[in-house]
Amino acid sequence: MAREFRIAVFPGDGIGLEITDPCIAVVDAALARVGGLRLAYDTVEAGAGAYQNLGTALPDESVEAARAADAILLAAAGLPDIRYPDGTEIAPQIELRSILDLYAGVRPIRSIPGVPSPLADPRGSELDFVIVRESTEGLFVSHRKGTVRGDDEAEDRLLITRRGTERVVDATLHIAETRKAAGGRGHATCIDKANVFASYAFFRKVFDERAARHPGLTTDHIYIDASTLDFVGRPWRFDVIVTENMFGDILSDLGAGLIGGMGFAPSADIGDKHAVFQPCHGTAPDIAGQGKANPTAMFLSGAMMLEWLAERHDEPRAADAGGLIRAAVDDAFRDGLRTCEIGGQSGVREVTDAVLSRLSQ
Ligand code: ATP
């Protein structure tokens, strides 16, 4: 009998609703190729639609399903026109990070063959680095807790703790070690603003302490402002990056821009017990409902989910399936597939068919 893992699925809103079923089809096709494994899906509500229909953006049953699952697959949630009374957007994905203590936001920035880079240098088409975004504190500790005093001033708080920093730095160093074992450079970069703020100087100090335990890795630091220059000037200098929550939020989009756009950038929010896999993009209301969305980031997030299950449950077949998805995506774009955001015409259906056809070969 096939070994089974339970997956809580959050389709969410906007293009999230369009890319969820295709992702499940791709993941299942990859698993069918390796054999011996199956996923049981439990689809639950969260997001702006849930808030409108049920009065809550993240129902208790959805949280329970997430807790009970072996992994969580989330497409995209929130819509700009449906907001909380305080004006903030509905973002159950941010709430899940704190409820499930998902502290490491892992965002691989990997070029896909054939997808044009905005960088003229040919090395811009061969990027392969990882951003690890601290996902439970930093400036986001103030999420929905900011203060507005009269109409004169507003204040949000930024918090860096030793525990929060140690665990995300350790996760980063683990990724750097793993990549090194697979032939990578074994280099970790801390991105901060330690020259101006005590909180970031503390983040850097803890990074140095933890990095000292990994003599086989090389490390460096760079200020956030200078790092944006390197992102567009020489991003190949990076291997694995760790940074504060807000900086990671911004750098993730910048990184996605380097590899073709939001539709190509997968991510994982990982904790000690749970993990959510979702594309870096939002619900893209400007193109929702038109079939134009690029589901690639969602497929690659599904691949990351399989690889995480493989490591956690010592199940190499799941890692093999994840590798098959990545290879099928690479083949499809290498063969000329072009999505709307890179000047082509292909949307959800065509990208899904192209990837599925390669998985069935
Ligand atoms: P959030 O704040 O929830 O991260 P956002 O406001 O940053 O969301 P996105 O929803 O990520 O915005 O969209 C940013 C831009 O990228 C939009 O123009 C959108 O159409 C485009 N985009 C996002 N995801 C995709 C996708 N999968 N395929 C094609 N275009 C996309």
Side-chain angles (χ1 to χ4, degrees):
M1 216 173 81
R3 184 174 186 188
E4 183 176 284
F5 294 109
R6 286 161 308 153
I7 310 299
V9 180
F10 289 70
D13 306 297
I15 62 167
L17 300 168
E18 299 170 51
I19 60 177
T20 300
D21 286 344
C23 179
I24 289 174
V26 162
V27 167
D28 283 348
L31 288 173
R33 277 274 301 275
V34 299
L37 283 180
R38 70 179 294 272
L39 301 184
Y41 301 98
D42 183 9
T43 300
V44 296
E45 285 200 80
Y51 183 67
Q52 228 172 15
N53 299 335
L54 311 169
T56 168
L58 188 54
D60 290 345
E61 308 85 75
S62 301
V63 175
E64 282 324 304
R67 279 193 209 283
D70 293 305
I72 300 145
L73 193 58
L74 193 154
L79 290 172
D81 297 340
I82 303 174
R83 291 173 182 256
Y84 290 118
D86 68 359
T88 57
E89 271 190 47
I90 284 156
Q93 62 277 24
I94 299 179
E95 287 168 51
L96 276 176
R97 283 175 203 148
S98 86
I99 293 169
L100 302 177
D101 208 16
L102 310 175
Y103 54 83
V106 179
R107 281 101 194 272
I109 305 298
R110 186 186 72 90
S111 303
I112 294 173
V115 175
S117 161
L119 304 178
D121 191 306
R123 286 172 290 182
S125 301
E126 292 165 11
L127 298 180
D128 182 3
F129 64 95
V130 181
I131 301 169
V132 184
R133 165 189 176 184
E134 199 294 317
S135 299
T136 56
E137 51 184 46
L139 191 55
F140 278 69
V141 82
S142 213
H143 179 230
R144 306 205 60 216
K145 293 185 192 136
T147 314
V148 180
R149 285 181 282 272
D151 204 22
D152 298 316
E153 51 182 42
E155 187 175 325
D156 287 301
R157 176 170 166 253
L158 186 155
L159 177 72
I160 303 287
T161 67
R162 169 168 287 283
R163 174 174 173 266
T165 309
E166 281 182 353
R167 62 187 187 171
V168 76
V169 168
D170 286 350
T172 302
L173 298 168
H174 173 70
I175 293 170
E177 294 279 15
T178 307
R179 284 166 62 89
K180 187 175 183 192
R185 283 168 42 215
H187 186 76
T189 300
C190 173
I191 297 185
D192 57 50
K193 190 73 181 169
N195 50 337
V196 176
F197 296 104
S199 51
Y200 291 117
F202 183 66
F203 188 88
R204 180 181 286 212
K205 176 172 109 80
V206 176
F207 171 84
D208 286 343
E209 286 172 15
R210 304 307 279 189
R213 301 175 172 208
H214 295 259
L217 299 178
T218 55
T219 60
D220 67 347
H221 322 100
I222 182 168
Y223 300 131
I224 178 65
D225 43 343
S227 81
T228 59
L229 207 60
D230 278 358
F231 261 64
V232 295
R234 46 177 196 138
W236 39 87
R237 88 186 268 309
F238 296 115
D239 181 18
V240 188
I241 290 166
V242 65
T243 191
E244 179 268 334
N245 209 338
M246 184 67 176
F247 290 164
D249 187 31
I250 298 165
L251 288 178
S252 300
D253 279 27
L254 184 50
L258 295 176
I259 54 167
M262 300 305 291
F264 293 100
S267 84
D269 287 330
I270 298 177
D272 290 330
K273 292 193 189 135
H274 305 279
V276 173
F277 299 85
Q278 69 168 123
C280 284
H281 60 73
T283 52
D286 53 333
I287 57 164
Q290 302 167 42
K292 287 184 184 168
N294 176 7
T296 303
M298 184 74 181
F299 298 168
L300 295 174
S301 302
M304 290 177 78
M305 177 178 79
L306 291 169
E307 285 162 351
W308 181 77
L309 285 169
E311 186 174 344
R312 195 169 168 78
H313 298 278
D314 194 18
E315 181 49 85
R317 289 174 297 189
D320 292 345
L324 286 175
I325 293 174
R326 201 167 292 115
V329 163
D330 284 4
D331 283 349
F333 284 96
R334 194 184 286 114
D335 292 348
L337 186 66
R338 290 291 173 271
T339 56
C340 302
E341 79 260 65
I342 54 169
Q345 300 290 326
S346 299
V348 184
R349 189 70 267 153
E350 206 168 333
V351 177
T352 306
D353 289 346
V355 173
L356 283 176
S357 77
R358 279 153 186 91
L359 279 172
S360 66
Q361 275 161 22

